[in-house]
Structure formats: structure tokens, C-alpha cells
Amino acid sequence: MTALKLALQKSGRLSDDSLALLKRCGLNFDFPKGRLIVPCDDFPIDLLMVRDDDIPNYVGNAACDMGIVGYDVFREHELTVNNDRNIVKILRRIGFGRCRLSIAIPEKFEWQGLESLNNKRIATSHVASLKRFLKESSINASVIEMSGAVEIAPGMGLADAICDLVSSGATLRSNGLREVAKVYESEAVLIAQGNESPLLQTHLDRFLLRLDGVLKAQGSRYIMMNAKRQAVADISRVAPGLSEPTVMPLAGTTDRVAIHMVAAENVFWETLEKLKAFGATDILVLPIEKMME
Ligand code: ATP
Ligand code: ZN
């Protein structure tokens, strides 16, 4: 049977989350160390374990059907590809690997806004993204390409500033750098070329249905509580993106009922406090594993 080829980062920040997500989509695979192509037992998908930078090209030239990469890697490809056949598109944003591409400067740099970057040298491994940002901001700076360890460039006198991925900011701080401008936010994305054969498209649609179920469930919560029957209308307006509540009788009482509902977003303490203010008791908030409409 022809299987879809899905490229994943072999080892790096996206690897564990990518595999965990696929498991949640019901894909079963065994992972002998060092193996580069891993077939799934019960779904027509083969996993290809490669370096993340190569994934957009593999997808673009149809060596693979889909890939999971950081938006930053996708964007670099999108800005540099000059052959229509190699264009790839984002099918889904998948939420993990969140970070931002930011410009950072050493403490001694006198910052007066983006104009301070004029005639300066900026080190980065995201050359195309940085160049686009500088052009859009009408800044004239030289871009110095580095393949990694960008944060050490100012200390070594190679650059005046850097443009790199940041999540907590701890790496920047430990190198005496300060974040001053954001180029864009990034998260993992599922990419594809978008012209599959009808057979592969059927597999892809089936996979996307599962993925959407998992992504939707991830953000959603199941809320259960008891409350007075008259409070049902108020309560169902409290939590974000609530579906119509299920209202059930409670044994031994006529005025109190059990209310169950699904909230499309995470439920915060403030929401529970509001529910309580409407007289709700025994409130339980549960994660949802899978969801399909
Ligand atoms: P490879 O060996 O596959 O080329 P890499 O070193 O280029 O790996 P990683 O550092 O594992 O890549 O990062 C992979 C992706 O993780 C990035 O493209 C980015 O989207 C995301 N990411 C999330 N947080 C961060 C962070 N703080 N620094 C770097 N990347 C991050
Ligand atoms: Zn890489």
C-alpha cells in the first residue's frame, strides 16, 4: 500500500513533541535507534527522521508528502525558494515549539529604537527573515550569516547585534544580551506541497481529521458542576466557547441539577470563581483526549 511520507526532526527540540502528537493521533510505531524510515503499524504513513532544515526542501520537491517544522524554518524556505514547484504551504499550526525570532543587543549598545540598527552588523542563521524585516522597517544593516551559536557573535566582535530564536530569554541573558524587537512568533507547523495523488489525498484527509480532533481536544476542557436549575443560563455564558450544556437531574433534589459542558479554551481560576458566584458547587474540570464533531 502506498503510504504518505511524513518528515520529522530526527533529534532536536521538535522531535519528542512531534512523536507524542502522532501517538495521540493513533499512529503506532516502533523506533529502533538510528533508523531513518519508520513505518506506522496501522496507518498508511511512513515517518522520515531528518534534519529540520532539510524538511521544506524534501516536501517541496516531493521526496516527502508532509513535514513538521518550526514556522521559522518554513518561513526561511518560503522567502528563499525561487522555483514554483518547490513551494510548500502550511496545513495546520500545531502549537508546540513556541518561540519568537527576535533582535537582541549587548547591554552596552545604546538603543533608541530600530533606527539604531542602521549601519550595524547583525548576526543570524535566519538570513532571509531578517533581511525581509530590515527591508520592511527601512533599516540599512549588514546581515552576517552564522549556522549556530549566534548569541556569542557580539562578544567575539563579529557583530553588533543578533537575530535569533528566543523562548524564555535565559540564553540571551546569560550572554549579556537584551531583546529589543520581535521579527515574528513561531510554533511547529504541518507543511505539505498540496497536490497529492487522489489515493494519498484520501490518506491525508483521514490523517487531518484525526489531527484536528487532537488539536481541538488539546485546548478544550470538560466542565462538570452542580447548581440551581435557574442558574443554568448564567452559568452557560461564563466559560469561553461553551457548547450547549447538558443538564441532568440530581438524585434526591428537584431544584439542583448536574451541568456538563465543553469549553473550547483552557479554563482558568477566574472562570471557576465566576461559576461559584452563580452558586455552582462540586466543580470539576477535566482534559479531553479526543474530539470529533
Ligand atoms: P537540526 O539538527 O535538526 O538542524 P536545529 O539545531 O536546527 O536542529 P533545534 O534547536 O532543535 O534545531 O530547533 C528546532 C525548532 O525548535 C526551531 O526551528 C524553532 O522553531 C523551535 N524552537 C523553540 N524554541 C526555541 C529556542 N528557544 N531556540 C531555538 N529553537 C526553538
Ligand atoms: Zn536545523
Side-chain angles (χ1 to χ4, degrees):
M1 184 165 45
T2 320
L4 279 169
K5 293 196 264 325
L6 168 59
L8 305 176
Q9 189 186 27
K10 189 167 118 210
S11 69
R13 289 170 195 268
L14 301 183
S15 310
D16 289 349
D17 286 337
S18 300
L19 293 174
L21 177 72
L22 297 177
K23 292 233 150 143
R24 262 180 273 133
C25 291
L27 305 194
N28 264 319
F29 40 83
D30 240 351
F31 228 129
K33 251 208 161 359
R35 183 123 170 229
L36 296 186
I37 301 186
V38 181
C40 296
D41 295 339
D42 45 6
F43 202 92
I45 286 189
D46 290 342
L47 308 179
L48 269 80
M49 311 309 291
V50 293
R51 281 203 57 194
D52 66 346
D53 312 68
D54 297 330
I55 293 177
N57 265 326
Y58 287 156
V59 174
N61 62 31
C64 279
D65 304 293
M66 308 184 279
I68 294 179
V69 285
Y71 171 80
D72 58 298
V73 171
F74 161 81
R75 183 69 178 144
E76 281 294 295
H77 176 82
E78 186 181 42
L79 289 172
T80 44
V81 70
N82 48 20
N83 175 347
D84 277 357
R85 285 187 47 234
N86 283 347
I87 288 177
V88 301
K89 59 180 191 187
I90 295 180
L91 291 185
R92 296 292 185 275
R93 297 183 165 265
I94 46 188
F96 57 80
R98 284 183 197 278
C99 57
R100 52 200 183 272
L101 183 67
S102 284
I103 295 180
I105 52 171
E107 295 302 343
K108 61 176 191 307
F109 192 122
E110 279 176 37
W111 183 254
Q112 258 132 26
L114 280 181
E115 312 78 64
S116 304
L117 293 171
N118 270 318
N119 306 317
K120 295 287 195 289
R121 300 161 304 163
I122 312 174
T124 191
S125 44
H126 292 76
V127 172
S129 301
L130 174 60
K131 282 190 173 162
R132 173 61 64 97
F133 177 79
L134 293 172
K135 192 167 167 220
E136 284 174 359
S137 316
S138 306
I139 301 294
N140 191 5
S142 40
V143 174
I144 301 189
E145 181 166 5
M146 289 180 71
S147 58
V150 171
E151 63 281 357
I152 64 172
M156 291 176 67
L158 295 171
D160 306 298
I162 67 161
C163 173
D164 202 7
L165 295 170
V166 186
S167 41
S168 69
T171 311
L172 288 185
R173 279 191 297 279
S174 67
N175 283 282
L177 298 166
R178 180 163 71 93
E179 193 176 347
V180 286
K182 184 172 74 185
V183 177
Y184 52 64
E185 309 228 340
S186 180
E187 67 183 280
V189 291
L190 176 74
I191 56 170
Q193 201 185 33
N195 44 0
E196 310 301 335
S197 69
L199 173 66
L200 289 182
Q201 188 64 48
T202 312
H203 297 336
L204 179 59
D205 289 343
R206 213 177 127 212
F207 173 67
L208 288 178
L209 199 66
R210 291 190 183 193
L211 179 64
D212 288 340
V214 170
L215 294 178
K216 204 159 167 227
Q218 256 176 24
S220 307
R221 296 291 179 270
Y222 195 77
I223 314 177
M224 305 193 284
M225 75 202 83
N226 298 338
K228 281 218 162 92
R229 195 177 283 279
Q230 307 89 284
V232 171
D234 286 329
I235 283 175
S236 57
R237 277 193 295 270
V238 169
L242 277 183
S243 63
E244 290 300 313
T246 306
V247 180
M248 289 163 287
L250 280 173
T253 159
T254 47
D255 67 329
R256 290 185 72 76
V257 288
I259 305 170
H260 289 197
M261 45 198 190
V262 174
E265 292 168 29
N266 208 342
V267 177
F268 298 99
W269 286 109
E270 290 74 24
T271 308
L272 299 194
E273 284 160 10
K274 282 187 200 151
L275 293 172
K276 199 131 192 70
F278 284 121
T281 58
D282 307 296
I283 309 169
L284 291 180
V285 180
L286 308 174
I288 298 174
E289 197 180 276
K290 298 186 185 72
M291 239 170 136
M292 206 177 273
E293 277 169 357

